[in-house]
Amino acid sequence: MLHPRLRRSLLYVPGNMPSMLQNIPIFPSDVCIIDLEDAVPRTEKDAARLLSRRFIEGYTQRNKELYVRINGLDTPYFRDDLAQILPAMPDGIRLPKCEHPSHLRRIDDLLTEFEEYLGCEIGRFKIIASVESAQGILNVNETARASERLVALGFSAEDYTANLQIDRPKTGEHLVVPRQLLLMACRAAGIQAIDTVWADASDQEGFRRECEHIKVLGFDGKSLINPRQIDVLHDVMAPKPEEIDYALQVVDAIRGAREQGTGVVSLGGKMIDAPVVARAVRVLLSAKSLGLVDTDIDERVIYGDADA
Amino acid sequence: MSKNSLGRELPETWRGRTLRPYRDPFSAQPEGPRVARPIRRVNPGDNKLLGSLREAIEASGLRDGMTIGAHHHLRNGDLVLNSVVKEIAALGLRDIGIASSSVHPVHEALIPYIRDGVISHIECGVNGQISRMVSTGQLDVPIITRTHGGRGRAMMCGDLKVDVAFVGAPTCDEYGNICASKGPSACGVVGYSHSDADYADCVIAITDNLVPYPAFPISIPQTKVDYVVKIDSLGNPAKIVSTTTRITTDPIGLQIAKYAATVIELSGLLRNGFSFQTGAGGASLAVAANVRDLMRKQAITGSFGAGGITGYFVEMLEEGLLEALFDVQSFDLKAVASVGRNPAHIEMSADMYANPFNAGCVVNRLDCVVLGAREIDVNFNVNVNTESDGTLNGNTGGHADTAAGAKLAIVVAPSIRARLPIVRDEVTTISTPGETIDAIVTERGVALNSKYQALAPDLRRRGVPVKSIIELRDEIYGITGAPRPIEFTDKIVGLVEYRDGTITDVIRQVKG
Amino acid sequence: MRINKKAQAGTMQSSDLIVFVEPADDLAIEIESTVQQQFGHLIEARVKQVLKRLSVEQCRIMVSDRGALDYAIDARVEAALRRAN
């Protein structure tokens, strides 16, 4: 499965704050996640659902992916969250505390019910789920394959660290194993891997170091709690000039092959397979978003026509 | 009633003054010589140091109907103007005009003196309670707002006659050498007072830090100062300068700053010798920070920074990114400390800064200025004088001056402030004509005026959303709804004077 | 919808509003806003629209607005009404 969708930056926006919600269209993140969970006190869940719903309904000129973090399946809130939010047509749901594949299957079934009720395409609502505990990490390989809707798995270091009963060191050595396990599970399942938030918004240097670290590990993106973190992350994730050059060559080769009607694409005598194409597309999307290239990616050229 | 070229209706005369309608930024020509002050002679052994403010006022010859000058470098910490007016009232004088460089909220202490007729007119922009009351008809005192350059011009041309100037002097000697960078009320420079010292019939230095002769470095020399008075305190140091001026952390402000810096980068002006001015607002400083990073990355050395100086510009000077600073007003402690010790940090008079009628002012040498706005209209006209409810609250300052002078004048503003659309069909008041504004930068997009249209493709390629000003307005109105216009009475309470003395707009009393 | 008890929703933050609702024999709407002169009419129109949509004909509703956009007015009024139901 290919993932041309760029999900470098996933910004949490509190669901009960108009001053933040209405800035969603101008935040330069790839994804915004409206938060009905941790950012909203229990007594305000009803008001936050209404506010978020009305905001999403009015946000018709969508210029980024929009997810809503609902409350966990262990709370009395998540059904009302879905019932209020889904009619406004977000792109998907961010599911917290997804520690077992059954959690995903359960939410998948619910989303199907809502899709039938709302009369929209089955599978329309995507899921990004967060793994937040030791048990969740141990189950992650199955979780990553538990729903067709799952486009990415996120990792929540805050909860995981609490679960381990340790203080969270900023250096992150205690996160080596869960990050690697989550990443491997995502890659094996062909979905994206999203790293945890950096909680200290005032420490931009520490944040940058962590971004560099997770880029080396291979994460596709990172959840963010402050809009100021977006540019730093994008800067770190920016492709190098030689990567861009190579990606442009790959796309040219594909275009050439399509024009000649051949299904086999090769570059410099080497065959170009699907993962190379996917990577080239990601590099170019990322470069384009940063103004480093002005090539538009034509999906039909890259992947052929739908029936091809 | 006639209309100026901006479409604003003006009366032919106002309070006995014939109004010249604004036509364009550059064609109005001055005539004749500059005005002169009386010559005086001070002989060896003559004493300039007087015992009290009252003695100084008496010695100055101030009479009913005259105008006094003052400056606003002590900002909202200033106690000088209030103390002076209190003494003037105690002496039984009436019908006095105030021609400061700006009146601040702290000066609401003057309200009783306005009511009693001690003060009869104000010749500068006004912030705070006084301006609100004048706008709503609760206080009757005509106000003429001028730009910083325009104030210097008006004094030079004799349009504004200051009879007695009171100069708050953070440090002074008994012979009248004024030093602004030392003392408990140090404000760095007194750039707005130089014209007062040049043109007022009598100049009185008021200090709370009298030092043995000579006081230095000298901001205003002894040759221009007639009397010296010591008082207990010029003001509240905590409110005179900010301890630090900070870059905004607001994501909207940062987004705006990013776009603005890209406009500057692609303008072709950012090269060795680049000259630059920004306001002290958080978003403007964020632009400065981005430009600083670009200069570092591209190894560019700028020629000068100008205007009100912040620690940010001081750092750029010290880092070698700028060769010099022209400082008309120091905004924070770092700027105050720097101007006292660094010869490349130069005190600049408002005349040198921005007067259009001298032999060439500093704004003419600016490559780029970054300005704020309360409102912007679809013709790029900018309002910095009135609030969204129609009430006067603010001074034009250097806004119109730098916009006219700089090669690239950028206005940065959020597109919406608490539902109020900042880009709109009409601004409440035209402070700065749109023909001197080159780009409007909001978080929702950038609108380019005619001179810089060619930048659009490059900006778009860099991810900056370039829109026409009409598209920008439509997008914003789509979010906020179209605002209902503020209703005004026919009564004109103030004038907005352009730097050349023509009138860009009048301020009418708000209805209701 | 019947208004049975006092309730409120919203905050005093910028771009938000607080809505107070209480039972009454007829419909009374009071609006106070930082942008009253320019947008008071649109705020009132939006409040009335929500009341109509939820079929509320009897209540006293007081709005204290800090420059909220229409979607927020809509949501806060509805939240207050539902809480008062």
Side-chain angles (χ1 to χ4, degrees):
Chain A
M1 194 180 149
L2 300 170
H3 303 288
R5 190 101 215 182
L6 213 49
R7 293 194 184 92
R8 294 164 299 178
S9 48
L10 295 81
L11 177 70
Y12 281 116
V13 178
N16 205 32
M17 272 182 76
S19 58
M20 288 292 283
L21 280 175
Q22 61 209 40
N23 286 333
I24 284 177
I26 64 116
F27 290 140
S29 62
D30 295 328
V31 182
C32 275
I33 303 171
I34 296 177
D35 189 11
L36 298 178
E37 193 208 18
D38 289 352
V40 179
R42 263 178 286 180
T43 52
E44 290 296 322
K45 299 287 186 196
D46 59 334
R49 283 181 202 118
L50 272 167
L51 188 72
S52 301
R53 174 180 180 159
R54 294 288 176 248
F55 169 75
I56 301 169
E57 283 170 348
Y59 178 27
T60 50
Q61 306 283 312
R62 300 274 179 92
N63 56 357
K64 58 181 61 68
E65 274 196 301
L66 188 64
Y67 281 71
V68 177
R69 177 156 79 171
I70 58 173
N71 288 281
L73 298 178
D74 57 343
T75 71
Y77 309 118
F78 72 96
R79 276 178 194 281
D80 285 341
D81 291 345
L82 292 173
Q84 281 286 343
I85 289 299
L86 293 178
M89 298 290 160
D91 293 296
I93 294 300
R94 175 128 189 182
L95 177 69
K97 301 198 190 73
C98 182
E99 318 304 1
H100 193 272
S102 65
H103 296 168
L104 263 182
R105 288 194 283 268
R106 191 166 162 211
I107 207 79
D108 188 308
D109 289 345
L110 277 170
L111 289 176
T112 304
E113 283 174 30
F114 275 105
E115 283 161 346
E116 284 167 352
Y117 171 72
L118 294 168
C120 56
E121 182 197 344
I122 304 302
R124 185 200 177 284
F125 296 121
K126 308 282 179 234
I127 303 172
I128 298 175
S130 297
V131 178
E132 308 189 2
S133 70
Q135 187 60 58
I137 288 294
L138 293 173
N139 293 338
V140 71
N141 195 29
E142 285 72 39
T143 303
R145 300 160 193 274
S147 166
E148 283 290 313
R149 300 172 187 273
L150 191 68
V151 295
L153 274 182
F155 171 53
S156 168
E158 299 291 323
D159 297 84
Y160 172 81
T161 305
N163 187 223
L164 287 197
Q165 299 167 17
I166 56 171
D167 294 328
R168 183 182 179 182
K170 270 189 169 176
T171 44
E173 58 266 33
H174 63 307
L175 302 179
V176 172
V177 170
R179 275 183 171 141
Q180 295 282 22
L181 285 175
L182 183 109
L183 197 62
M184 280 192 280
C186 289
R187 286 292 173 266
I191 62 172
Q192 291 177 323
I194 308 298
D195 190 46
T196 185
V197 299
W198 177 261
D200 183 358
S202 63
D203 182 5
Q204 291 281 76
E205 281 312 305
F207 174 71
R208 180 179 280 274
R209 278 195 300 277
E210 182 160 280
C211 291
E212 282 160 357
H213 176 59
I214 64 130
K215 186 194 179 188
V216 170
L217 290 181
F219 277 90
D220 298 276
K222 190 167 176 59
S223 298
L224 308 175
I225 45 127
N226 191 301
R228 278 189 292 150
Q229 298 174 327
I230 300 168
D231 281 346
V232 176
L233 174 60
H234 286 185
D235 188 44
V236 170
M237 299 289 249
K240 295 189 192 75
E242 53 268 30
E243 291 177 286
I244 298 172
D245 282 349
Y246 182 71
L248 286 169
Q249 288 174 36
V250 169
V251 170
D252 271 350
I254 297 170
R255 195 174 292 131
R258 294 259 180 260
E259 278 164 13
Q260 289 166 23
T262 155
V264 185
V265 185
S266 65
L267 178 63
K270 282 197 328 203
M271 208 182 80
I272 296 177
D273 53 8
V276 174
V277 175
R279 184 174 164 74
V281 169
R282 269 205 308 277
V283 165
L284 290 183
L285 284 171
S286 175
K288 175 125 206 300
S289 82
L290 298 165
L292 301 173
V293 294
D294 47 9
T295 315
D296 275 314
I297 311 292
D298 184 338
E299 301 224 354
R300 277 171 313 170
V301 170
I302 305 293
Y303 304 112
D305 292 321
D307 56 354
Chain B
M1 285 284 168
S2 67
K3 275 191 182 175
N4 65 15
S5 71
L6 303 165
R8 295 297 167 131
E9 289 207 343
L10 316 175
E12 312 289 331
T13 60
W14 184 66
R15 304 220 179 204
R17 169 179 166 181
T18 302
L19 302 186
R20 281 184 295 140
Y22 169 85
R23 200 170 57 199
D24 66 78
F26 300 114
S27 71
Q29 287 297 328
E31 284 173 2
R34 57 164 77 181
V35 298
R37 61 187 287 192
I39 298 168
R40 61 271 270 162
R41 175 166 185 156
V42 173
N43 277 325
D46 288 354
N47 175 40
K48 291 193 193 179
L49 183 65
L50 299 181
S52 69
L53 211 43
R54 173 176 288 229
E55 273 180 58
I57 295 167
E58 284 171 335
S60 74
L62 188 71
R63 294 190 311 273
D64 289 357
M66 284 185 166
T67 295
I68 62 168
H71 66 84
H72 77 281
H73 296 91
L74 307 173
R75 303 204 293 176
N76 209 33
D78 176 53
L79 295 175
V80 176
L81 183 56
N82 291 347
S83 312
V84 167
V85 172
K86 192 175 165 194
E87 280 305 324
I88 287 173
L91 285 164
L93 295 171
R94 296 182 60 76
D95 190 18
I96 298 295
I98 291 186
S100 182
S101 47
S102 185
V103 165
H104 276 55
V106 66
H107 300 124
E108 70 177 38
L110 302 181
I111 290 171
Y113 303 112
I114 297 172
R115 288 202 198 284
D116 292 351
V118 176
I119 296 166
S120 63
H121 58 289
I122 297 177
E123 303 233 10
C124 63
V126 182
N127 291 289
Q129 191 60 18
I130 294 175
S131 55
R132 199 162 15 255
M133 290 174 74
V134 168
S135 280
T136 51
Q138 301 168 71
L139 201 60
D140 191 18
V141 56
I143 294 173
I144 299 173
T145 73
R146 291 194 171 90
T147 70
H148 287 325
R151 182 173 186 268
R153 178 211 58 79
M155 288 168 80
M156 169 194 254
C157 297
D159 293 351
L160 170 61
K161 170 74 190 294
V162 171
D163 297 288
V164 182
F166 295 88
V167 181
T171 289
C172 195
D173 60 42
E174 61 176 15
Y175 221 51
N177 290 301
I178 295 172
C179 163
S181 57
K182 295 179 188 165
S185 306
C187 56
V189 300
V190 284
Y192 303 128
S193 275
H194 291 228
S195 290
D196 300 63
D198 285 336
Y199 297 108
D201 283 354
C202 180
V203 178
I204 299 169
I206 301 175
T207 189
D208 58 2
N209 189 40
L210 190 67
V211 297
Y213 185 89
F216 63 92
I218 296 173
S219 296
I220 291 175
Q222 63 190 47
T223 54
K224 299 179 180 180
V225 177
D226 297 289
Y227 302 110
V228 178
V229 179
K230 183 176 184 308
I231 63 174
D232 289 339
S233 171
L234 294 189
N236 177 353
K239 293 179 181 169
I240 292 173
V241 289
S242 317
T243 42
T244 55
T245 34
R246 277 179 212 283
I247 295 176
T248 184
T249 55
D250 163 45
I252 302 295
L254 291 171
Q255 180 80 7
I256 293 167
K258 194 167 79 176
Y259 290 157
T262 310
V263 172
I264 295 168
E265 184 186 358
L266 298 182
S267 68
L269 297 166
L270 190 62
R271 45 174 168 42
N272 281 332
F274 179 63
S275 57
F276 187 39
Q277 176 170 342
T278 72
S284 295
L285 286 181
V287 181
N290 290 351
V291 168
R292 179 199 61 192
D293 292 346
L294 285 168
M295 291 173 80
R296 275 185 192 150
K297 211 180 281 179
Q298 301 176 19
I300 289 166
T301 305
S303 54
F304 70 89
I309 295 297
T310 58
Y312 230 80
F313 275 74
V314 171
E315 283 171 19
M316 289 174 77
L317 177 72
E318 290 174 355
E319 199 182 319
L321 294 171
L322 294 170
E323 299 279 4
L325 298 179
F326 286 120
D327 189 347
V328 73
Q329 178 183 13
S330 311
F331 277 125
D332 56 26
L333 290 174
K334 210 164 192 169
V336 171
S338 164
V339 73
R341 67 177 144 72
N342 188 341
H345 185 158
I346 303 156
E347 175 161 358
M348 166 176 74
S349 69
D351 175 77
M352 176 163 170
Y353 174 32
N355 180 355
F357 289 176
N358 59 26
C361 54
V362 167
V363 299
N364 293 352
R365 303 288 300 180
L366 272 176
D367 284 325
C368 175
V369 65
V370 179
L371 299 164
R374 295 241 175 85
E375 300 169 334
I376 303 152
D377 74 15
V378 290
N379 297 311
F380 292 80
N381 295 313
V382 177
N383 172 20
V384 293
N385 291 115
T386 45
E387 299 282 0
S388 59
D389 63 3
T391 58
L392 174 68
N393 189 22
N395 206 3
T396 313
H399 200 282
D401 296 314
T402 52
K407 292 190 182 74
L408 171 62
I410 298 176
V411 169
V412 294
S415 62
I416 300 168
R417 290 193 182 99
R419 191 163 189 165
L420 295 167
I422 302 309
V423 179
R424 45 175 58 219
D425 290 323
E426 274 201 15
V427 289
T428 310
T429 304
I430 297 180
S431 315
T432 297
E435 59 203 297
T436 61
I437 300 294
D438 298 305
I440 306 292
V441 179
T442 76
E443 79 284 11
R444 285 175 205 279
V446 171
L448 299 168
N449 209 344
S450 46
K451 193 162 68 171
Y452 285 92
Q453 286 290 347
L455 289 183
D458 284 345
L459 283 168
R460 290 204 181 95
R461 204 165 296 132
R462 289 283 299 273
V464 177
V466 181
K467 297 167 183 173
S468 78
I469 189 114
I470 302 287
E471 286 169 340
L472 203 51
R473 177 208 58 191
D474 288 347
E475 184 178 331
I476 296 167
Y477 277 20
I479 294 162
T480 63
R484 196 163 49 186
I486 302 288
E487 293 186 66
F488 295 94
T489 69
D490 289 337
K491 186 183 175 191
I492 293 170
V493 298
L495 298 181
V496 181
E497 196 182 279
Y498 194 56
R499 57 202 302 254
D500 62 7
T502 62
I503 303 299
T504 54
D505 213 339
V506 296
I507 294 161
R508 292 190 166 82
Q509 189 179 310
V510 176
K511 203 177 249 184
Chain C
M1 185 190 284
R2 265 191 68 80
I3 300 308
N4 299 316
K5 55 180 187 265
K6 280 190 180 185
Q8 71 175 68
T11 74
M12 290 295 276
Q13 292 170 353
S14 178
S15 303
D16 205 346
L17 66 157
I18 291 194
V19 180
F20 300 92
V21 174
E22 60 187 41
D25 294 332
D26 50 8
L27 193 59
I29 303 170
E30 291 161 40
I31 291 167
E32 173 262 309
S33 170
T34 52
V35 294
Q36 186 75 35
Q37 287 136 307
Q38 302 195 329
F39 290 106
H41 60 303
L42 295 183
I43 297 169
E44 188 176 339
R46 181 55 66 139
V47 171
K48 284 181 173 164
Q49 196 181 319
V50 179
L51 291 167
K52 196 172 168 201
R53 177 161 57 77
L54 297 177
S55 307
V56 176
E57 281 156 8
Q58 292 169 308
C59 82
R60 179 158 178 247
I61 183 162
M62 285 159 288
V63 172
S64 181
D65 170 70
R66 292 287 170 276
L69 298 177
D70 274 346
Y71 82 94
I73 296 170
D74 198 304
R76 296 310 193 196
V77 171
E78 180 169 345
L81 292 172
R82 292 201 181 281
R83 286 173 178 182
N85 179 231

